[in-house]
Amino acid sequence: MATPPTASIGVLLLLLAISPAVHSCPPSDRAALLAFKAALREPYLGIFDSWTGTDCCRNWYGVSCDQHSRRVADINLRGESEDPLFQKARRTGYMTGYISPAICKLTRLSSITVADWKGISGEIPRCITSLPFLRIVDLVGNRISGAIPGDIGRLRSLTVLNVADNQIWGEIPASLADLSGLTHLDLRNNRITGPLPRSMGRMRMLSRALVSGNQLSGTIPTSICQIYRLADADLSRNKITGPIPECVGRMGVLSTLNLDGNRLWGRIPESLFTSGISDLNLSRNGLSGTIPNAFGARSYFTVLDLSYNNLKGGIPESVSRAGYIGHLDLSHNHLCGRIPSGAPFDHLEASSFVSNDCLCGKPLKRCY
């Protein structure tokens, strides 16, 4: 039996009535975004001027939605950008206020980037650890304080945690080691205290561990050597003590190791000079003993800085057998003897060798 014309018209009108709702973000997501906006003040660029209308998935600056569910998936607000909005204003962004816990009502949120606004303060909302789909948290370059949420390890999908250049204090939560999928960790230039998590080796996917410029103490956990993807480790400018674990030099892809400006002691492991590390900075510590005579064809350093330690003895002859050494700094130690000739010494300046006990030879004074 054919559908009566009046029934067909009724179905069509019903579809037209519900169509906008299907293709718009839900009112609950819109309300959460507006509460998030209300906690912030951005006086120069007007980035929130576009946050109008009922559909927060359409033309709301920095907001992206899942194309199927129409739920808010990403908030991407950067205070330093090549967006025409910034180019027209000829300035970087400045924003004050705080990150409202209202964002935790965006239960399908995959990433939140509120970066480089310089004036945003307050704390990291504790409730973000209840967002099961969160992959990226990027809050770099603000004035955020407080501690990292203690149960941060609940975010099992997290791949990026960047809270560098803020005023965060407290210890690194032990649960951080539960983030087995984390690839990028950046906690630089905060006020974080306490030790590195002893079980941080469980973060097997980590490729960058950047924690410099804090007040971390304790020793370097040997479990760090289990992070087989770690390529860049920057633990500099802290209060870390103890020896450098020998196993660090046997890490497969580690290319940058910055441990300068700590309170490390003991001998330098030979393994560091036969590894794949190309940028090695151990300066301004309390390392002692001699420089290992372990250089060879695999020793390839763009930077090798051993300055401001308590190293003694002579400069090993094997340094001349290194595959490459670009910048070498052995100053401010207790080294003695003749500076070898040939590469890399023929292109180094006196500043690489000053303030030792009795080094001599080019580029310093002649040996007698």
Side-chain angles (χ1 to χ4, degrees):
M1 180 181 293
T3 304
T6 54
S8 299
I9 293 172
V11 171
L12 179 60
L13 290 174
L14 178 62
L15 289 174
L16 290 173
I18 66 174
S19 176
V22 171
H23 295 288
S24 300
C25 69
S28 59
D29 280 13
R30 179 179 180 274
L33 285 174
L34 291 177
F36 168 79
K37 168 189 170 182
L40 298 168
R41 182 173 180 270
E42 191 283 295
Y44 300 111
L45 299 171
I47 66 167
F48 291 126
D49 291 350
S50 63
W51 287 31
T52 59
T54 58
D55 187 6
C56 59
C57 294
R58 184 175 181 180
N59 298 327
W60 282 38
Y61 184 90
V63 177
S64 301
C65 297
D66 180 87
Q67 61 179 346
H68 300 295
S69 68
R70 308 305 290 170
R71 298 294 306 278
V72 173
D74 304 290
I75 298 174
N76 185 8
L77 302 174
R78 294 189 178 275
E80 296 179 2
S81 172
E82 295 182 358
D83 188 278
L85 189 68
F86 290 76
Q87 294 179 354
K88 183 178 180 181
R90 296 182 179 179
R91 61 167 297 138
T92 57
Y94 181 77
M95 191 186 297
T96 57
Y98 63 95
I99 298 174
S100 171
I103 63 167
C104 302
K105 296 179 180 179
L106 301 170
T107 55
R108 302 292 298 188
L109 198 63
S110 174
S111 70
I112 174 168
T113 298
V114 184
D116 297 314
W117 291 103
K118 307 174 187 67
I120 295 177
S121 56
E123 299 186 354
I124 302 171
R126 296 291 185 266
C127 58
I128 68 165
T129 61
S130 66
L131 297 174
F133 302 101
L134 202 55
R135 296 183 303 106
I136 297 173
V137 175
D138 186 351
L139 306 177
V140 63
N142 291 294
R143 296 178 57 198
I144 296 170
S145 59
I148 299 170
D151 57 348
I152 192 78
R154 292 175 61 192
L155 296 175
R156 298 305 174 89
S157 299
L158 201 65
T159 60
V160 174
L161 177 60
N162 186 354
V163 294
D165 301 321
N166 279 286
Q167 299 176 10
I168 292 171
W169 46 261
E171 297 191 0
I172 298 175
S175 74
L176 188 78
D178 295 334
L179 300 176
S180 58
L182 196 70
T183 62
H184 181 99
L185 174 66
D186 195 344
L187 309 179
R188 289 177 294 181
N189 302 323
N190 280 286
R191 302 172 182 175
I192 301 171
T193 56
L196 292 165
R198 305 310 300 172
S199 56
M200 66 182 298
R202 299 212 310 268
M203 296 187 285
R204 298 296 179 87
M205 302 299 289
L206 198 64
S207 63
R208 303 192 77 196
L210 312 176
V211 298
S212 63
N214 283 285
Q215 300 172 36
L216 296 171
S217 57
T219 60
I220 301 172
T222 55
S223 71
I224 197 174
C225 303
Q226 300 169 16
I227 310 176
Y228 60 88
R229 291 175 180 261
L230 190 62
D232 185 356
D234 188 352
L235 281 59
S236 63
R237 296 182 291 117
N238 280 288
K239 300 177 181 179
I240 298 172
T241 62
I244 302 171
E246 175 79 26
C247 62
V248 172
R250 297 193 293 272
M251 296 177 69
V253 298
L254 188 64
S255 61
T256 299
L257 179 62
N258 291 333
L259 301 177
D260 50 295
N262 280 289
R263 299 174 181 177
L264 298 169
W265 47 261
R267 303 178 73 90
I268 301 175
E270 288 189 11
S271 61
L272 296 183
F273 300 108
T274 58
S275 67
I277 298 173
S278 60
D279 187 334
L280 178 62
N281 191 341
L282 307 180
S283 67
R284 299 181 185 276
N285 280 287
L287 298 169
S288 58
T290 58
I291 301 173
N293 191 23
F295 292 82
R298 288 198 62 210
S299 307
Y300 188 100
F301 292 101
T302 54
V303 174
L304 176 57
D305 193 342
L306 307 180
S307 62
Y308 290 92
N309 278 288
N310 295 317
L311 301 173
K312 61 181 182 179
I315 300 174
E317 290 290 339
S318 65
V319 175
S320 298
R321 297 195 292 273
Y324 175 78
I325 298 180
H327 173 78
L328 174 67
D329 193 344
L330 304 177
S331 65
H332 299 274
N333 279 286
H334 298 288
L335 301 174
C336 201
R338 182 185 297 273
I339 298 172
S341 57
F345 303 99
D346 51 8
H347 72 262
L348 297 173
E349 298 180 357
S351 58
S352 295
F353 307 101
V354 297
S355 297
N356 277 285
D357 288 357
C358 49
L359 282 180
C360 62
K362 188 179 179 180
L364 300 181
K365 62 183 181 181
R366 293 174 56 188
C367 297
Y368 296 98

